[in-house]
Amino acid sequence: MSNHEIGPHVRGESLFIGDLPDPPGLLHAAVLAAKVAHGHIVRLDTTPAAGLDGVHCILTAADIPGENQIGGIVQDEPLLAEGEVHFIGQPIAVVVAETAQQARAGAAQIALETDEIPGVFDPREAAAAGNLLVPSRTLSLGDVDATWKACHTVVEGRADSAGQEHLYLETQTALVIPQEGDRLRILSSTQAPTAVQRITARVLGLPMNAIEVDVTRLGGAFGGKEDQATPWAVIAALAARALKRPIRMELSRHEDMVMTGKRHPYSSDFKIGLDEDGTILAYEATYYQNGGAAADLSPAILERSLLHSNGSYFVPNIRVTALSCRTNLPPFTAFRGFGAPQSMFVLESAISSAAEALGIDRSVIQKRNLLSEGDTFPYGMRAQQGHARRAWSEIEQRFDLPGLQNEVDAFNRNHTLVKRGIALMPVCFGISFTSTFLNQAAALVHIYTDGSVSVSTGAVEMGQGVNAKIVGVAAHTLGILRDRVSIETTNTLRVANTSPTAASSGADMNGRAAEIACRALLDRLKAVAADLLGVRGDRITITGGAIEVKGKAVELTWEKLVSEAYLRRVSLSAQAHYATPKIHYDRETESGEPFAYHVFGTALVETTVDGLRGTYTIDRVRVVHDAGRSLNPLVDMGQLEGGLVQGIGWMTVEELLYDGGRNLTDTLSTYKVPDILSVPEIEGHFLEDADNPAAVMKSKAIGEPPLMYGIGAYFALLDALRAFRPDRRPFFNAPMTPERVLMHLHGDRCDEDEIDMEEADSIVQR
Ligand code: MOS
């Protein structure tokens, strides 16, 4: 069924954890979470909950048989709080009951008293107090200090970008079923089955081979289930182990929004120096990453911010410093782009400031400084393809940029209450995990005696279409039709030591592993065919399930060949491992080749702003994107469109607000995401003749890069605002909500502009 996800999804037949029938004896778990952002637990009395209807047991840190520790990169995060709490929503106790309602009612009855102590919520304040999750890091190339005086123009400024809620459709969930002895079977909605297995083993004090994690598919993830699916699975496992009963743990939407981490807010300072024609000579930035209360994936996200500090541009002298700041908020975590969108926003802000100072269009600076073949990245790697410039030129040629600019200028001359704006947004994104060891994957392929094929890999299907891609790779490699291949669940018993499906590299690495396994099987089958047909193996090809000798069809079929191989006792199973070659990185010198390759592209974003209301539409986005030789153009176009809209949401309407440690936007009535009506007209084109030698079947990864096209929406809006108020300096504080638009246009005066009533009417009717 997972071969063709679209049909079953549309018909509602695809099974998610919440759709699975309840196993006999099932109980439900719910957590009691901290209600203050920072405090000492002075009383935790579970007895009022213990007597309630349906409640089976209540578990606290004292009931953990192994280590109360779920930290991955840094071991700084308890599963259940002990002594102190560090953020609102931090799990303290688990109530297990007959129904989820009873479990939640039980959690509400636990007597919890916390002595509140002052919290820190601002990353700059945390940094000033020395409150860092890991030591700061600095990446540099060239000599920034010596270059400032050679610059014609130097500008400094500050850029802030807020967090972002993942809003996967399926909330965090797990179902744990005890097996014989101590063994547990865990169904988890996770991007990282091995992390769930490893952390469950650690917390329960069991060996990893006692824990099976099985993942069919996720209802969305976007990075939010890379690390943060784990605690809920572990909590369910803890209860299952204690009670020897199956346990379901599922967060409500509200719990999920309160308790789980989101995209990191960043506050940054920048300084950029250019010559008079807009060539960037030097760039310096400091990123204050709001990491939340525990490290989670923050150090890796910080690293990716540094590695994308130059965006799509060649910057000969650069020095960027990143600080991961500990605050009393739920640990911020992976989110599509993984720190790169934040640092790219800072550079685009610096370019806008510079354009303002030089009195030229920002696109002049952008185009002049695009990476060319052979240019050096700040970490010493060289750009391998000239696709940054290719994508930009193709945008110019396809879409008549000067014509569009004239049209927008004319519109803006003729309208006083409505203005249009445009912006270009080039993207360059490095593909591979920056932690080199994670760049490995494995596959297990079986051919059954009827010729059907079963493929297991470490890749997790989360709606991104990785299964469809791997089916394509396996069918193409074996030379059979796609409907002969099925993709199995991601299961730690079949494929061990999996890297998370993340870093856009799921199809790249697991597809390659599947390809290697299929090639081994093909070689064995060809040897059998050669013997049967009395020809040399290299004369035989298999295409679409037909066997050919020197291009001519023969009577032997795929099915007959497979069954003959079986009778001859040839193994019809193969396991393969793939490790991305060549990549390396030295964190001491902050240099190396951390990426297998880069993905490039450019977006052209158009917007219209209503200057009376502050509201706007993102009208149209046209993209030229480098997908290599796309493994599946339909899937890739879906990822391009989805990523783009998610990026636009982050930059425009999605506003995550906190009052101290309290998330004020923890419901769907207070947190706005783009809806179908706000989606712009999108026209995506893939670069042609862009074969990528560094990935499976010459493809390129797709998952994260398109999100960063959304940054263009912010600068298109600024462009429209400048048409209203050329006297005002641009500001860099995302998201650009309608309120911020209004404040920028009318912040200190609302009375002077003459209002053209005829035009005002036409807007009202719009
Ligand atoms: Mo992804 S943000 O690398 O899970």
Side-chain angles (χ1 to χ4, degrees):
M1 193 160 85
S2 52
N3 292 0
H4 310 285
E5 295 264 331
I6 298 171
H9 272 25
V10 171
R11 291 192 297 272
E13 294 165 4
S14 301
L15 296 178
F16 296 82
I17 290 173
D19 298 318
L20 300 176
D22 289 349
L26 179 78
L27 298 173
H28 297 261
V31 301
L32 164 72
K35 307 223 168 3
V36 301
H38 195 195
H40 295 290
I41 299 173
V42 290
R43 181 162 169 254
L44 180 64
D45 181 4
T46 60
T47 45
L52 292 180
D53 260 9
V55 170
H56 281 245
C57 82
I58 298 150
L59 302 164
T60 65
D63 301 301
I64 290 174
E67 286 175 61
N68 183 18
Q69 182 51 250
I70 60 168
I73 299 174
V74 183
Q75 300 211 354
D76 65 351
E77 192 176 3
L79 177 71
L80 297 173
E82 269 177 288
E84 274 201 8
V85 294
H86 298 104
F87 62 92
I88 291 175
Q90 184 176 4
I92 299 172
V94 182
V95 180
V96 187
E98 298 282 337
T99 69
Q101 278 120 310
Q102 287 170 335
R104 289 198 175 94
Q109 291 306 311
I110 294 173
L112 168 70
E113 278 172 37
T114 338
D115 267 357
E116 197 165 354
I117 41 185
V120 177
F121 310 103
D122 177 75
R124 289 176 186 257
E125 255 177 58
N131 241 324
L132 300 183
L133 290 160
V134 287
S136 72
R137 286 173 65 176
T138 298
L139 180 59
S140 69
L141 179 77
D143 189 343
V144 171
D145 295 321
T147 309
W148 298 124
K149 53 185 177 297
C151 296
H152 170 273
T153 297
V154 176
V155 285
E156 293 183 58
R158 171 175 163 155
D160 291 88
S161 59
Q164 184 177 24
E165 166 65 45
H166 300 88
L167 215 76
Y168 24 67
L169 279 177
E170 176 200 40
T171 55
Q172 303 282 0
T173 187
L175 173 60
V176 180
I177 306 149
Q179 310 288 302
E180 277 185 2
D182 280 340
R183 299 173 67 95
L184 293 173
R185 175 170 157 80
I186 301 179
L187 311 182
S188 167
S189 178
T190 180
Q191 292 171 249
T194 293
V196 169
Q197 180 192 24
R198 181 175 53 239
I199 305 294
T200 303
R202 186 201 286 168
V203 172
L204 297 190
L206 292 171
M208 283 172 76
N209 67 5
I211 312 291
E212 171 193 0
V213 180
D214 188 82
V215 182
T216 301
R217 62 171 69 74
L218 322 186
F222 310 114
K225 296 173 181 173
E226 187 178 343
D227 234 28
Q228 299 218 357
T230 302
W232 320 107
V234 178
I235 283 170
L238 179 69
R241 175 119 204 263
L243 293 168
K244 301 269 181 213
R245 301 265 298 257
I247 305 288
R248 244 187 217 289
M249 168 92 227
E250 182 184 50
L251 296 189
S252 69
R253 177 64 62 190
H254 182 64
E255 287 168 337
D256 197 306
M257 291 180 85
V258 170
M259 296 178 188
T260 68
K262 301 155 203 324
R263 184 188 298 284
H264 293 78
Y266 273 48
S267 183
S268 308
D269 297 318
F270 63 78
K271 182 174 177 183
I272 189 169
L274 309 91
D275 71 12
E276 70 256 39
D277 60 12
T279 302
I280 301 172
L281 300 179
Y283 176 64
E284 189 172 20
T286 305
Y287 311 119
Y288 297 90
Q289 177 198 58
N290 192 334
D296 190 270
L297 291 164
S298 295
I301 291 161
L302 189 87
E303 181 169 61
R304 189 167 280 272
S305 297
L306 290 171
L307 296 174
H308 288 79
S309 53
N310 65 307
S312 211
Y313 310 105
F314 173 59
V315 183
N317 299 286
I318 185 167
R319 182 170 60 217
V320 284
T321 296
L323 299 94
S324 187
C325 309
R326 187 193 300 277
T327 60
N328 294 104
L329 292 167
F332 291 95
T333 194
F335 195 139
R336 205 173 195 173
F338 208 75
Q342 289 95 327
S343 62
M344 287 188 196
F345 177 72
V346 179
L347 180 54
E348 293 297 328
S349 299
I351 287 173
S352 273
S353 285
E356 183 90 355
L358 285 165
I360 56 177
D361 198 88
R362 64 192 300 279
S363 67
V364 172
I365 301 179
Q366 289 178 304
K367 183 180 176 182
R368 183 172 290 277
N369 294 285
L370 286 174
L371 282 161
S372 302
E373 169 104 37
D375 279 345
T376 310
F377 285 93
Y379 38 93
M381 189 171 172
R382 284 177 182 274
Q384 289 279 337
Q385 290 162 312
H387 287 178
R389 288 184 177 273
R390 241 189 100 188
W392 183 285
S393 322
E394 201 174 316
I395 286 269
E396 285 183 331
Q397 285 156 17
R398 273 183 186 272
F399 307 124
D400 179 21
L401 217 44
L404 176 66
Q405 187 65 61
N406 287 338
E407 184 192 315
V408 168
D409 291 343
F411 181 94
N412 289 345
R413 275 194 306 275
N414 296 326
H415 295 75
T416 49
L417 300 175
V418 187
K419 302 281 187 192
R420 289 176 60 186
I422 57 176
L424 284 109
M425 180 64 207
V427 168
C428 166
F429 194 81
I431 301 299
S432 292
F433 287 92
T434 60
S435 296
T436 303
F437 73 93
L438 289 174
N439 295 291
Q440 53 178 318
L444 176 64
V445 179
H446 301 309
I447 304 175
Y448 294 102
T449 52
D450 66 353
S452 64
V453 175
S454 153
V455 179
S456 297
T457 73
V460 169
E461 175 61 51
M462 58 188 104
Q464 86 282 41
V466 71
N467 284 357
K469 287 187 169 183
I470 293 174
V471 166
V473 170
H476 176 86
T477 308
L478 292 171
I480 57 177
L481 296 175
R482 294 170 58 99
D483 62 9
R484 303 256 55 198
V485 182
S486 72
I487 300 287
E488 308 308 326
T489 63
T490 315
N491 186 297
T492 53
L493 298 182
R494 262 179 276 114
V495 178
N497 310 324
T498 61
S499 293
T501 299
S504 304
S505 59
D508 266 31
M509 296 199 307
N510 293 282
R512 188 72 106 179
E515 184 186 39
I516 296 168
C518 289
R519 278 213 191 118
L521 289 164
L522 184 66
D523 287 348
R524 291 177 213 160
L525 288 170
K526 277 190 180 173
V528 173
D531 192 47
L532 281 170
L533 297 166
V535 298
R536 289 212 329 252
D538 59 8
R539 303 278 162 91
I540 297 170
T541 50
I542 308 180
T543 337
I547 292 159
E548 296 171 354
V549 174
K550 290 203 281 181
K552 282 210 198 78
V554 294
E555 251 190 53
L556 185 62
T557 62
W558 167 261
E559 285 75 15
K560 273 192 257 168
L561 174 58
V562 166
S563 121
E564 184 63 28
Y566 170 72
L567 293 174
R568 293 179 179 208
R569 296 184 292 165
V570 171
S571 167
L572 292 172
S573 296
Q575 193 270 355
H577 177 261
Y578 176 69
T580 311
K582 292 188 214 150
I583 49 173
H584 58 93
Y585 195 71
D586 180 347
R587 285 175 179 157
E588 290 299 311
T589 61
E590 298 285 10
S591 66
E593 304 218 349
F595 302 118
Y597 59 89
H598 293 82
V599 168
F600 301 92
T602 296
L604 170 59
V605 185
E606 298 170 52
T607 184
T608 306
V609 177
D610 175 332
L612 278 184
R613 294 174 187 78
T615 52
Y616 47 74
T617 52
I618 306 300
D619 304 314
R620 182 160 61 167
V621 182
R622 290 177 286 183
V623 180
V624 173
H625 182 83
D626 164 24
R629 182 189 291 185
S630 174
L631 278 181
N632 189 320
L634 190 63
V635 164
D636 282 350
M637 197 54 75
Q639 287 291 293
L640 188 155
E641 293 177 354
L644 165 66
V645 172
Q646 200 162 35
I648 292 173
W650 172 53
M651 282 282 111
T652 59
V653 292
E654 295 189 42
E655 190 176 32
L656 200 54
L657 289 171
Y658 294 93
D659 176 17
R662 186 167 306 280
N663 179 353
L664 298 174
T665 48
D666 59 4
T667 66
L668 290 179
S669 57
T670 49
Y671 187 82
K672 172 83 182 129
V673 287
D675 55 25
I676 193 70
L677 296 175
S678 67
V679 169
E681 181 189 326
I682 300 170
E683 186 181 330
H685 297 270
F686 294 133
L687 276 184
E688 279 169 27
D689 301 321
D691 285 8
N692 174 28
V696 59
M697 290 170 65
K698 305 194 165 49
S699 65
K700 280 200 176 182
I702 187 84
E704 291 164 288
L707 183 130
M708 282 149 276
Y709 295 132
I711 296 171
Y714 188 95
F715 293 93
L717 285 164
L718 271 188
D719 190 48
L721 296 190
R722 192 180 47 167
F724 282 109
R725 297 294 307 260
D727 57 312
R728 298 217 154 163
R729 303 279 308 277
F731 70 102
F732 310 109
N733 189 10
M736 176 80 83
T737 57
E739 289 85 344
R740 288 197 179 133
V741 167
L742 277 183
M743 291 306 290
H744 180 76
L745 294 180
H746 314 293
D748 51 358
R749 30 152 257 177
C750 312
D751 50 350
E752 294 168 31
D753 285 326
E754 277 181 49
I755 291 177
D756 174 338
M757 284 319 293
E758 206 172 300
E759 199 187 355
D761 277 341
S762 78
I763 298 166
V764 173
Q765 286 156 16
R766 209 152 62 90

